[in-house]
Amino acid sequence: ADVDEAVGPLRDDPSVGEPARAVAESAARIRALAPGAGEEAAREIALSVARTVACAELCKQGAWATRRGSGRTAAIAARLAARGLGPGVVVDEAGLELAGWGAEEAPAQPSDVST
């Protein structure tokens, strides 16, 4: 099933609305980036898909559980979404960055760290 169909009705749910919106944004970003991404980006795209689908499932379960008095699953969905669902850095076949961190936001690489 399409992730948008799964979380679409939940975007306005007070218990899981924020993570449901993050799922929809991540799915849209993956759909936009995946076709132009090179083989180098396959792992990042795959992990993004996994995080997005996992969060979508947590949103569905969290909304159901909240209606029955438990907000724990909704809280887990919110924490997962807060960590980031979509691709961090995606490169095209030429190795050029399509999206993700800019140079000033990139995490330190081992060669960037002085010892």
Side-chain angles (χ1 to χ4, degrees):
D2 186 50
V3 172
D4 290 325
E5 289 176 20
V7 298
L10 300 175
R11 291 181 197 175
D12 296 324
D13 186 303
S15 64
V16 294
E18 190 171 330
R21 288 187 293 276
V23 164
E25 289 171 18
S26 178
R29 187 168 182 215
I30 291 167
R31 277 193 297 274
L33 293 175
E39 200 173 309
E40 300 84 8
R43 181 172 186 253
E44 182 62 29
I45 294 288
L47 290 170
S48 297
V49 169
R51 287 188 299 264
T52 301
V53 171
C55 193
E57 293 301 317
L58 285 169
C59 286
K60 292 189 304 186
Q61 177 65 23
W64 178 87
T66 299
R67 289 192 299 270
R68 284 151 183 79
S70 175
R72 291 174 25 187
T73 307
I76 293 168
R79 282 192 297 255
L80 178 58
R83 294 179 76 187
L85 303 175
V89 176
V90 176
V91 294
D92 65 7
E93 292 174 5
L96 301 173
E97 187 175 312
L98 293 175
W101 292 298
E104 66 281 352
E105 300 169 319
Q109 298 299 314
S111 61
D112 296 340
V113 179
S114 60
T115 55

